[in-house]
Amino acid sequence: MDYNKTICLPKTDFPMRAGLPKREPEMLKRWEDEDLYHELLKKNEGKPLFSLHDGPPFSNGSIHMGTAMNKAIKDIITRSYAMRGYYTPYIPGWDNHGMPIESNIIKQNKLNHKAMSIPDFRSACRDFAAHYVDVQRDAFKRIGVVGDWDHPYLTMDPGFEAEEVKVFGEMYKKGYIYKGLKPVYWCPHDETALAEAEIEYQEDPVTTVYVKFPMHDDQGKLGAFDKSKLFFVIWTTTIWTLPGNLAIALHPAESYAIVKAAGGEHYIVAEALAEKVMGLGGFDSWEIVETHPGSFFENMLADHPFLPKTSRLVLADYVTMDSGTGCVHTAPGFGADDYQTCKRYGMDMVVPVDDQGRHTDYAGKYAGMTTDESNPVILQDMKESGMLLASEDIVHSYPHCWRCKSPIIFRATPQWFCSVDSFKEQAVAAADEVRWVPKWGIDRMKSMIRERSDWCISRQRRWGLPIPVVYCKDCGKPVVTDETIEAISKLFGAEGSNAWFAKEAEEILPAGFACPHCGGKSGFEKETDTLDGWFDSGSTHYAAMKKDQGFWPATVYMEGLDQYRGWFQSSLLTAVGAFGKGAPFKECVTHGWTVDGEGKAMHKSAGNGMDPAEVIDKYGADILRLWAANTDYHADVRCSHDIFKQLSQNYLKFRNTARYCLGNLDGFDPNHLTAPGEMEELDRWAVTRLNALMEKCFAAYDEYEFLVATHAVNDFCVVDMSNFYLDVIKDRLYCDEKDGAPRRSAQTALYLILDTMTRIMAPILCFTCDEIWQAMAHREGDDARNVLFNDMHQPFADYALDDAAMERWAVIEALRDKVNAALEAARSEKKIGKSLEAAVTVTVPEAEGWLAETPNLADLLIVSQVTVQTGSEAAVEVRKAEGGKCERCWKVLPAVGADAEHPGLCPRCAAAVRSLPQF
């Protein structure tokens, strides 16, 4: 008879080929129809809150691999907590204001923004930003991100703007916000101030110069020298800043030398740098005539090398002996340290460069030139005048604008500032209360706060939240009061911030409002600058999270490494500065940049960029999610087609393990599991290994170390399951009685494994695990609608083996590896074909003699017969098994033929066949 028909072969409709690009959109449609997000919240209502507050991406274009990874990780986090007993609201948000939107709309739509009215341009920006909110929303939904997509928060929404105005008002009232003239990062191309977070550094070639400043007034201290041949020598990498020079800074305690050169000129430089400077100047011989501490030269005057003015000798502790000459070119209009030093000496501010980066009339003959245009002209003029001691071409790291990629300048302009110094220690203390992942995040955040004295919060842009300040026409002072903030907030809440540009100040302020400084009622002028975009996003914890979402602080913020100086910091500063409540997040998690397969930055122009949409169309969103989870995302994350192909192989190991389980659970009722005391010990071993997997993955989810979880599951599937357990139990599943206790024991273990693995991996492989969930049977109490509606299991303690038993199984596993090696050798020698043709004799140490009493040892080794003996040297002998070959299970046993009714079967198979209804 055909015994193949009596075997319990796997049966499942779950496909071997995933077909994710085609299958996932169908699943998304089902999720939308069942309102997955709100049903999840309803399911977990009343449970402890876990709130991940979304850091808002700019709505200025399509998503890239970095934003795809960011949203995938966030979704993994929220899903992992939803499935571990938490209520997990997730409200996505977008940052809609600022230069990123302005730059892209001007470029893409070819707008002549300067010819447009401000309200018209702002309306165009709003439409542009809204369009890309929709584009990005669709992309994030395609990745499988679960959230309230119909009600996101937008920084351009009137309700948000109204609340942000209140944040500004609170910080102003406490004295933390002021207007001042001081150097800031300035982009001449975009004509706006920039925050530190809007700066990126690039390597630029530059000519560095060593410039002679003739002595003008030595205060009678250097009478022995001919002042016409005595020079201070400064060094700079920014030639264009020389017209703005007002001083030369020396370190008060360092030794400065008066160096005599061939030709009779004397140069004043730091003694520690004299040899280097003179060498660059081309001098073979020179001598130090005198040395004095830097303080000796204080308040002397030097002549400017090419403008009719003098430069004052000042002292500053920040002067170092690492490079240059020790005499630091000081231009208060172009540098923060320079500004502070000159302010200390009571010197007036000079800013000889305008908004477009062109020299003003103050620069004399260079007026009208851009900074780049003036560099070679000034250099040539100094060569011809003899004021250039030396020059050197180098490549240095120089700040560039993050949007237009052009070099920026340091330039003093009237700006609004937040005085971080005023509440710095409170901000640092707030950072100490946060859990940082990775742990070094606390040091980075605290150092950045401590290094920052002011935050420039004004921008010379049209598309942004107007700074809610008016100026009295009588006294000229800025006016910010509770009354004005309330009036502006109500206006923005009702009409949006465009009303600021459409109405006069008198229409905005309360009727009869008088200047609180002078009592004047002649009227008011509105501030024309807008708020820094980081102030917008830094206010989301109040203007969106607290107002609309109803909680504060968030459990976690999660963004890229650059946000220590961006969103993390601005959120912390506004929270502490405005409300004094500490950080708006309990935990802060960071991820690195996405780079190509060789670790290089990805750019379209370099041809190494990857589009998330193309990745999803080719591999599926689950593979992209697996990529995000399967790496140490705290560092830079590589992506390439080779990487995605490898991940696809890892994915198939998980999918095929699930398919094996599903196929062998056909007809199994999970409401009637084998009791722990009745389960086969091998099956209890598998469940014990499953328990260890659960514990490892739960710890990984707690630490946001998804790499640990994915690797643990992959190892479990390959090492514990495929290489051992699933291989061993195949005979029992296929050939034992269908409803016999041994087979049901294995099925119970398989069900627990499938059910548990599916839940563990559901936060990462959200599509695949829900596909598995729809294909499997469920126990009473499970929510069959979606795997996401079910908590992850806790370890099955009742099924677990003790440590001593697990140690015995480790010995069996090691023995199996040795036997497999011996079988492979015998197969190569043509002694046997398949392993069931073999009988083995194993020699083990006396301490492992108990192996001889191990039930079903031959089945564990997947051979037909096994003999165990003890000896001093471990060994495995392979020989042909003696007996008949069972036509059903293929084991070679002496008992084959003993059953008269089924002479071609072994006793086990004969009994299994007789149990079938048709026999």
Side-chain angles (χ1 to χ4, degrees):
M1 65 177 296
D2 185 2
Y3 289 115
N4 286 334
K5 294 180 179 179
T6 70
I7 294 174
C8 301
L9 292 174
K11 182 181 178 182
T12 179
D13 293 330
F14 187 78
M16 182 181 297
R17 294 180 61 84
L20 294 175
K22 181 180 179 181
R23 197 182 309 277
E24 288 170 344
E26 298 168 359
M27 299 183 73
L28 280 173
K29 177 66 168 59
R30 178 169 60 81
W31 294 355
E32 288 187 11
D33 290 344
E34 68 186 15
D35 195 8
L36 183 64
Y37 174 71
H38 290 102
E39 286 299 307
L40 176 64
L41 293 187
K42 195 184 300 181
K43 184 87 176 176
N44 290 337
E45 194 170 5
K47 294 180 179 179
L49 173 69
F50 179 90
S51 52
L52 187 154
H53 180 48
D54 191 29
F58 287 113
S59 56
N60 66 326
S62 300
I63 71 168
H64 50 74
M65 290 302 292
T67 43
M69 178 180 73
N70 174 276
K71 278 295 191 290
I73 294 173
K74 287 176 180 175
D75 192 55
I76 291 168
I77 291 172
T78 55
R79 285 174 180 263
S80 72
Y81 274 89
M83 296 185 69
R84 289 186 296 147
Y86 289 86
Y87 181 77
T88 54
Y90 175 68
I91 314 297
W94 275 273
D95 199 347
N96 309 116
H97 286 143
M99 198 195 316
I101 283 83
E102 282 198 31
S103 298
N104 278 22
I105 190 174
I106 291 169
K107 187 190 311 178
Q108 291 185 29
N109 295 8
K110 296 180 172 53
L111 291 183
N112 182 2
H113 63 293
K114 294 185 177 180
M116 300 173 69
S117 70
I118 292 178
D120 285 347
F121 179 66
R122 286 173 58 87
S123 294
C125 287
R126 171 178 286 278
D127 292 343
F128 184 87
H131 167 71
Y132 277 108
V133 166
D134 291 339
V135 169
Q136 293 187 14
R137 173 168 32 207
D138 288 344
F140 293 143
K141 288 167 73 174
R142 178 63 186 87
I143 294 171
V145 181
V146 176
D148 193 352
W149 294 109
D150 293 332
H151 305 96
Y153 76 83
L154 307 176
T155 63
M156 66 181 180
D157 275 354
F160 185 100
E161 295 178 326
E163 297 303 307
E164 186 179 346
V165 166
K166 295 176 185 177
V167 176
F168 180 93
E170 286 297 315
M171 296 182 74
Y172 189 97
K173 186 162 60 176
K174 292 181 179 181
Y176 297 154
I177 290 178
Y178 70 96
K179 192 169 190 177
L181 177 67
K182 54 196 304 186
V184 296
Y185 294 114
W186 183 270
C187 178
H189 178 273
D190 292 313
E191 299 179 36
T192 186
L194 298 173
E196 186 178 354
E198 297 168 327
I199 296 301
E200 56 186 32
Y201 285 81
Q202 297 179 21
E203 296 296 308
D204 277 356
V206 66
T207 299
T208 67
V209 291
Y210 295 78
V211 182
K212 299 189 293 186
F213 279 62
M215 178 66 78
H216 179 84
D217 180 0
D218 65 358
Q219 295 188 319
K221 293 181 178 181
L222 298 171
F225 295 91
D226 179 355
K227 287 205 293 279
S228 67
K229 294 185 177 182
L230 182 60
F231 304 89
F232 290 94
V233 180
I234 67 92
W235 170 77
T236 183
T237 60
T238 50
I239 297 173
W240 62 267
T241 62
L242 286 169
N245 176 278
L246 293 185
I248 299 171
L250 280 61
H251 193 285
E254 291 287 349
S255 176
Y256 285 80
I258 302 176
V259 183
K260 182 179 180 181
E265 289 189 341
H266 291 77
Y267 306 121
I268 302 171
V269 297
E271 184 178 4
L273 295 165
E275 183 174 357
K276 176 186 175 184
V277 173
M278 298 307 287
L280 287 169
F283 297 101
D284 295 327
S285 61
W286 46 273
E287 64 173 310
I288 294 177
V289 180
E290 290 182 12
T291 59
H292 300 281
S295 58
F296 174 82
F297 300 95
E298 186 177 21
N299 290 320
M300 291 184 183
L301 296 176
D303 287 320
H304 192 277
F306 52 82
L307 290 178
K309 62 175 184 173
T310 58
S311 183
R312 185 173 178 182
L313 273 296
V314 297
L315 304 178
D317 290 334
Y318 57 75
V319 177
T320 69
M321 301 297 115
D322 296 336
S323 58
T325 66
C327 302
V328 177
H329 156 52
T330 302
F334 298 130
D337 288 338
D338 304 39
Y339 166 77
Q340 293 294 342
T341 298
C342 290
K343 183 179 178 182
R344 181 159 46 87
Y345 278 86
M347 302 168 72
D348 292 333
M349 175 71 71
V350 173
V351 189
V353 172
D354 66 14
D355 289 0
Q356 291 82 37
R358 295 184 178 277
H359 289 284
T360 65
D361 291 341
Y362 182 89
K365 65 175 285 188
Y366 311 109
M369 293 183 185
T370 66
T371 54
D372 283 344
E373 291 168 349
S374 69
N375 280 336
V377 180
I378 295 174
L379 178 63
Q380 185 59 35
D381 287 351
M382 290 192 299
K383 286 179 180 178
E384 293 175 359
S385 67
M387 289 299 105
L388 185 69
L389 179 70
S391 64
E392 186 179 16
D393 291 329
I394 64 169
V395 174
H396 71 157
S397 181
Y398 190 80
H400 289 64
C401 173
W402 68 327
R403 299 311 306 176
C404 70
K405 309 301 180 185
S406 300
I408 59 96
I409 61 176
F410 297 92
R411 175 173 175 263
T413 59
Q415 301 288 343
W416 284 94
F417 296 92
C418 167
S419 173
V420 179
D421 273 340
S422 299
F423 57 95
K424 181 177 292 184
E425 291 310 311
Q426 296 98 303
V428 169
D432 278 326
E433 299 302 314
V434 174
R435 176 195 174 201
W436 299 88
V437 181
K439 292 180 180 179
W440 49 255
I442 178 63
D443 297 325
R444 177 173 291 193
M445 178 56 78
K446 287 166 67 172
S447 67
M448 286 186 169
I449 294 172
R450 287 200 167 105
E451 290 168 4
R452 193 174 198 174
S453 58
D454 291 290
W455 168 17
C456 179
I457 60 171
S458 52
R459 293 292 179 272
Q460 291 64 52
R461 312 303 302 173
R462 296 180 174 189
W463 178 232
L465 186 73
I467 293 179
V469 174
V470 295
Y471 297 90
C472 174
K473 289 182 179 179
D474 290 322
C475 68
K477 292 183 179 179
V479 175
V480 181
T481 67
D482 288 346
E483 282 182 282
T484 64
I485 289 296
E486 183 179 1
I488 296 168
S489 176
K490 284 184 176 179
L491 175 67
F492 287 2
E495 302 181 29
S497 60
N498 260 14
W500 183 262
F501 302 97
K503 297 177 181 289
E504 297 298 326
E506 287 71 25
E507 298 177 80
I508 297 172
L509 300 175
F513 183 79
C515 175
H517 304 298
C518 69
K521 294 188 176 181
S522 298
F524 299 87
E525 297 285 348
K526 296 172 294 181
E527 173 61 69
T528 58
D529 286 353
T530 55
L531 275 170
D532 174 19
W534 293 112
F535 200 96
D536 286 9
S537 59
S539 300
T540 62
H541 62 85
Y542 179 79
M545 186 174 81
K546 184 177 181 181
K547 179 179 78 74
D548 297 329
Q549 301 167 28
F551 55 82
W552 202 102
T555 306
V556 66
Y557 275 27
M558 203 287 293
E559 294 299 330
L561 293 171
D562 56 330
Q563 298 309 316
Y564 285 104
R565 61 175 184 169
W567 187 54
F568 297 153
Q569 189 174 154
S570 65
S571 298
L572 182 66
L573 294 178
T574 56
V576 174
F579 308 110
K581 287 187 176 181
F585 43 86
K586 298 175 185 177
E587 301 177 356
C588 186
V589 183
T590 56
H591 62 75
W593 305 107
T594 52
V595 295
D596 72 7
E598 297 179 358
K600 299 175 183 176
M602 292 192 294
H603 299 288
K604 288 182 180 178
S605 58
N608 65 343
M610 294 192 76
D611 184 343
E614 293 178 3
V615 171
I616 291 171
D617 287 345
K618 184 170 184 177
Y619 302 102
D622 261 359
I623 303 301
L624 186 143
R625 294 172 67 97
L626 183 59
W627 160 75
N630 198 58
T631 185
D632 178 9
Y633 64 85
H634 301 308
D636 287 347
V637 179
R638 298 189 179 202
C639 54
S640 68
H641 285 293
D642 286 342
I643 290 171
F644 282 109
K645 287 175 184 175
Q646 178 59 49
L647 285 171
S648 297
Q649 294 304 309
N650 292 355
Y651 166 84
L652 284 176
K653 291 169 186 173
F654 173 78
R655 185 178 184 90
N656 289 339
T657 301
R659 189 170 185 274
Y660 179 106
C661 294
L662 286 167
N664 285 288
L665 288 170
D666 179 48
F668 179 75
D669 183 358
N671 290 302
H672 297 91
L673 301 178
T674 298
E678 298 172 5
M679 181 176 273
E680 298 280 335
E681 187 168 323
L682 171 61
D683 302 325
R684 292 183 64 187
W685 171 88
V687 177
T688 307
R689 295 296 298 147
L690 180 68
N691 288 344
L693 175 68
M694 280 188 260
E695 291 172 354
K696 190 167 189 175
C697 290
F698 292 165
Y701 278 127
D702 284 340
E703 296 299 322
Y704 306 108
E705 297 290 351
F706 311 119
L707 169 66
V708 174
T710 58
H711 281 206
V713 170
N714 187 69
D715 289 347
F716 179 78
C717 289
V718 174
V719 178
D720 291 335
M721 295 293 101
S722 181
N723 290 356
F724 181 48
Y725 180 67
L726 302 184
D727 200 20
V728 170
I729 64 170
K730 189 180 295 183
D731 174 75
R732 195 177 354 149
L733 290 168
Y734 288 14
C735 298
D736 269 25
E737 292 183 28
K738 182 176 181 180
D739 296 319
R743 185 171 187 273
R744 289 193 68 257
S745 172
Q747 286 182 304
T748 296
L750 284 183
Y751 185 83
L752 296 178
I753 290 166
L754 176 67
D755 192 29
T756 300
M757 278 204 322
T758 302
R759 298 180 195 225
I760 285 176
M761 286 298 285
I764 297 168
L765 299 177
C766 63
F767 292 100
T768 300
C769 289
D770 195 43
E771 183 188 1
I772 295 169
W773 192 255
Q774 302 306 316
M776 63 187 285
H778 300 291
R779 285 182 283 179
E780 292 178 5
D782 290 346
D783 194 323
R785 293 175 298 166
N786 195 295
V787 66
L788 184 57
F789 296 152
N790 300 270
D791 283 353
M792 295 183 192
H793 289 306
Q794 293 299 315
F796 303 106
D798 291 347
Y799 286 96
L801 295 176
D802 59 25
D803 290 344
M806 291 303 288
E807 287 175 9
R808 289 197 302 274
W809 278 98
V811 172
I812 293 171
E813 288 183 86
L815 175 63
R816 187 170 185 271
D817 289 340
K818 294 174 185 175
V819 169
N820 282 343
L823 290 171
E824 187 60 36
R827 192 175 290 115
S828 298
E829 296 169 4
K830 309 297 184 183
K831 288 183 179 180
I832 61 169
K834 296 189 178 297
S835 64
L836 287 177
E837 296 176 16
V840 297
T841 299
V842 295
T843 304
V844 298
E846 190 172 338
E848 296 175 4
W850 53 267
L851 284 165
E853 307 301 322
T854 301
N856 305 315
L857 182 60
D859 290 341
L860 296 175
L861 302 178
I862 312 184
V863 295
S864 288
Q865 300 160 33
V866 61
T867 303
V868 178
Q869 62 186 26
T870 59
S872 57
E873 292 188 14
V876 178
E877 178 191 342
V878 180
R879 63 185 183 281
K880 274 275 193 179
E882 296 179 357
K885 179 180 178 181
C886 176
E887 296 175 14
R888 187 167 178 269
C889 70
W890 296 2
K891 290 180 183 177
V892 178
L893 299 168
V896 172
D899 190 294
E901 187 178 359
H902 300 285
L905 301 184
C906 66
R908 186 271 307 259
C909 285
V913 169
R914 267 193 292 273
S915 71
L916 296 174
Q918 60 268 42
F919 296 100

